[in-house]
Structures are given as structure tokens and as C-alpha cells.
Amino acid sequence: MSQPPYGPPGQNPPYPPYQGPPQQYAPQYPPQYPPQYGPPPQQQGPGFGWGPNFGPGPGGPGGPRRPRKKSKAPLIAILSIVGIGIVGAVLIGLVKKAAEDVTTPPVTPTRYTPKPTASPTGEPSTPTSTGSPTEASSETIVAKNPIYTVGQMASVGCREPNIKPNTAKNAAAYWTAIKPCLDQSWKPLVEKAGFQFTPPTMTFWAGTTVANPCASGAVNVPFYCSANNMLYMKVDVFVKAYTEYPGDPIGEAYARMWYTRSVAHEFGHGVQNMTGILQAASKLRYAQEDYAGQMRMTRRMELQANCFAGVFLAVNKSSYPINGNLLYVWNKYVVTAGDKPEEGDHGSVASQGRFMGRSFNTGNPASCNTFSASPANVS
């Protein structure tokens, strides 16, 4: 999952319920990414999802906070009213870290088996098992996955779409233009690791619910569903983020960076799905004896998806380009967003820097083995 930002630092209210029926975006989108709308079935109990929080449970949603909107009043007037102390508090608020949302979609642990192709040496790539001759243990799949050995990702020269994502239609077009870059970037690595590359499909939606085979209930963020290998990209919250501060180049760059990182993050869950990490981690999560252990396993999954996003952004940062305002907001607001240590499901600021921050420099999935990291490093 990924949580889009809205609201100034320290003031991040729940996104207001969608008013009226969802708009139909289908005519504007390529047919391979069909939008899907409609209320999901009634919630049958707590769910887990690699995206939004589908069911009740500890840890409500929270997300990266927007940079504070610049005041229209003269600075002297502000100082005369609020005083130096309040201004200092505002400056502190601007750099306050943001917590990302909870989640992980329901997966039947025994439902999925990764689809191996030939290994780089031509030998069968099905991993050996500690319990059977054809199936590796979950611990081996997540901690010793071949995706960590494929080397640096090659740049595909991806460029930021020349589209202002200020409407639902443009938001979908923006993500649609980035999606082929992700396909082209990850396909060689997944296949080199010995797995079949099955690119996720993508759909766009708005509102509070969306029909999907993973779970049901209120949804307020983009998410990935492994049951149909689909990215569910929520347009309305991102349009709000982009249009909230019109004419503010930092605010717009902030929203664009979150647009880009969000789709790369959800695609990262798709990579986990193709390599068997997602299903193996789900088994390990269900096997945990307490809530703290379950949350730690969820953090490993989410931190890795963020790290995989950093791999893609790293190797395409020159062509995109991620410089100027985009690089500024990445360093100041995106890579510094996180939960309080041990309190959330996406990881602390330190953990975000340890994985996503590092992969943004290396461009190598080897930086993303969150499952071999000590508990302290996935806080």
C-alpha cells in the first residue's frame, strides 16, 4: 500500500467521504488498464492487504503530510501576531515526519506457487526445500530470494510524463505513462532471478470503496491485490494533493514525487508476488504469536516495496529527471516519512532511510533484503 499526502504537517484529517457515485473513467484509459468501480462485499472480519486498511484493527491510517501552504499574509504581519515562538513551531512542523498507512491484502498462504523459468545457468530454478524436494521454506524464499542476486537494474530512460495530474483523467494518464517503464525495468531482473514475469494490470478509482477480490470495506489509499495481480490507483486523493496549493512549485513537486513513488511502491508488491516473497511473508506473518510480530513482518513487506520503488527511481533519476524541486522534496519529505519506531506497519524514518534511501543510491535489489535485517533495523 501507499498513502498519499494531504493536509499540512500535524493536521492530516481523514479524507472526506466521496460524494455521489464514482465517475466512469473508462473511455479515457487504455483498455489494458480497465477502471473498476462499485461497492465491495460487506466486510466479514479483519482483512490484510498490501495497500489500504480493509478491516478494523490496531493502528489506524496515517500518511505523509503535505508541506505547509505558504501564508498569503506578509511575513511582518505574521510575526507581529504569532510571535517568533510560533514561527519556530511552524518550521519544526514542516520537517515533521509522516507516517504511512497500515496494511497487507488477504492471501491464502498455500494458494500461490511462484512460476520459475530457466535459471541463468539453464538449471531448473525451483528452490530446494527443507521440507520437500520441490518447495522451499518460507524463510528461505523471503531471506534468500534470487531477486537479491540479479545486480543493478538497468535504466530504461524513463521520463516524467508531460501531464499535469490535476484531474482524475490526468492522474490516470500520468500513472499510465509511467507503468511501461516499470514493466521494462523489472522484467529482465525477475527473469534473471528465474521467475516468470507477469506484469500487473492497473485500474483507477475514486471514492471510499472499490470492488476487488482481495477484501472489502472502506479504502482510502492505492493498493495492490495479489488475487488478480492488479494495482488499484486511487485518483481523488492525489488530485487533491496536487491542486491544494496552486502555483506553489514545491507543493506541486511534492505531489508529483508521491504520484511516482506510489505507483512504483505498488508495483514493488507485484514484484514480491512474482518472486513468491509476498505469499511466503504472509505465511510467516500468520505464524507470528503476537501482534508485535505480525506488525514487524508487515513492516518487512512494506519497507521492501518502498525499497523496490527506490531501485526504479535510482536508475532513472537522470532521465526522469529527479533533480531540482523533485529531488528537494524527495530528500525533505518523502524519504523522511515514517512511523514512530515499533508503532506502525511501514517503518520508522530510520528504517525508510536504511532501505528506500539506500536503494535510491544503489539501484540494486540487493539493498532490499528486509527479511534478513535485525528487528531493530525494521522498526
Side-chain angles (χ1 to χ4, degrees):
M1 122 320 137
S2 60
Q3 169 74 354
Y6 44 84
Q11 301 178 28
N12 195 16
Y15 194 73
Y18 181 64
Q19 302 298 318
Q23 299 179 15
Q24 299 298 318
Y25 301 128
Q28 292 87 8
Y29 303 150
Q32 64 267 34
Y33 306 133
Q36 185 177 9
Y37 293 99
Q42 292 297 312
Q43 177 73 31
Q44 299 299 316
F48 303 106
W50 290 281
N53 187 5
F54 288 103
R65 279 74 179 255
R66 290 293 311 273
R68 184 179 296 277
K69 183 178 181 180
K70 295 180 180 178
S71 173
K72 297 181 179 179
L75 179 60
I76 295 178
I78 294 175
L79 293 175
S80 65
I81 295 171
V82 301
I84 299 300
I86 300 301
V87 173
V90 170
L91 293 176
I92 293 172
L94 282 174
V95 298
K96 184 179 179 181
K97 69 92 184 165
E100 296 198 55
D101 191 23
V102 159
T103 63
T104 318
V107 143
T108 302
T110 58
R111 182 179 65 205
Y112 174 87
T113 301
K115 301 174 182 177
T117 59
S119 71
T121 62
E123 296 294 329
S125 59
T126 304
T128 58
S129 171
T130 58
S132 78
T134 59
E135 184 180 354
S137 68
S138 294
E139 290 84 357
T140 298
I141 291 172
V142 299
K144 298 182 180 180
N145 200 280
I147 196 67
Y148 307 140
T149 67
V150 294
Q152 187 180 54
M153 176 181 282
S155 174
V156 295
C158 192
R159 299 189 64 82
E160 183 184 14
N162 188 23
I163 300 168
K164 287 187 176 182
N166 55 1
T167 65
K169 177 181 177 180
N170 286 355
Y174 190 92
W175 277 321
T176 298
I178 296 172
K179 171 67 163 50
C181 295
L182 288 159
D183 292 339
Q184 295 166 29
S185 295
W186 280 107
K187 184 177 187 293
L189 299 191
V190 170
E191 292 180 345
K192 185 177 180 180
F195 298 101
Q196 179 177 317
F197 181 78
T198 306
T201 54
M202 185 162 62
T203 191
F204 312 97
W205 61 287
T208 56
T209 60
V210 60
N212 72 90
C214 274
S216 60
V219 185
N220 65 350
V221 291
F223 63 98
Y224 170 76
C225 178
S226 61
N228 59 357
N229 193 29
M230 181 172 283
L231 314 179
Y232 287 80
M233 304 307 296
K234 194 173 192 300
V235 295
D236 47 2
V237 288
F238 280 86
V239 170
K240 176 179 172 63
Y242 185 84
T243 59
E244 190 168 7
Y245 303 108
D248 178 2
I250 296 298
E252 290 181 356
Y254 177 80
R256 286 157 50 209
M257 198 69 256
W258 276 104
Y259 265 99
T260 305
R261 197 230 52 152
S262 179
V263 70
H265 170 99
E266 301 309 336
F267 199 100
H269 285 310
V271 173
Q272 290 175 323
N273 185 49
M274 286 180 260
T275 57
I277 293 173
L278 200 59
Q279 294 74 19
S282 180
K283 278 188 178 182
L284 295 172
R285 185 184 192 280
Y286 285 119
Q288 298 300 308
E289 296 181 352
D290 56 19
Y291 177 73
Q294 292 175 354
M295 289 296 289
R296 186 174 300 112
M297 185 57 62
T298 301
R299 282 197 296 272
R300 293 184 190 276
M301 288 188 281
E302 295 293 349
L303 283 166
Q304 184 174 80
N306 262 1
C307 188
F308 283 164
V311 168
F312 168 77
L313 296 173
V315 299
N316 291 288
K317 67 177 70 170
S318 295
S319 59
Y320 204 71
I322 300 176
N323 58 21
N325 287 340
L326 284 183
L327 184 60
Y328 172 78
V329 298
W330 169 269
N331 289 326
K332 190 173 181 66
Y333 298 111
V334 180
V335 81
T336 60
D339 303 316
K340 291 182 178 179
E342 303 295 340
E343 291 189 12
D345 69 343
H346 273 67
S348 64
V349 174
S351 294
Q352 297 294 348
R354 185 173 293 113
F355 293 105
M356 182 169 64
R358 183 182 177 196
S359 69
F360 186 69
N361 292 322
T362 67
N364 193 324
S367 302
C368 302
N369 188 352
T370 58
F371 296 94
S372 291
S374 69
N377 286 337
V378 289
S379 63

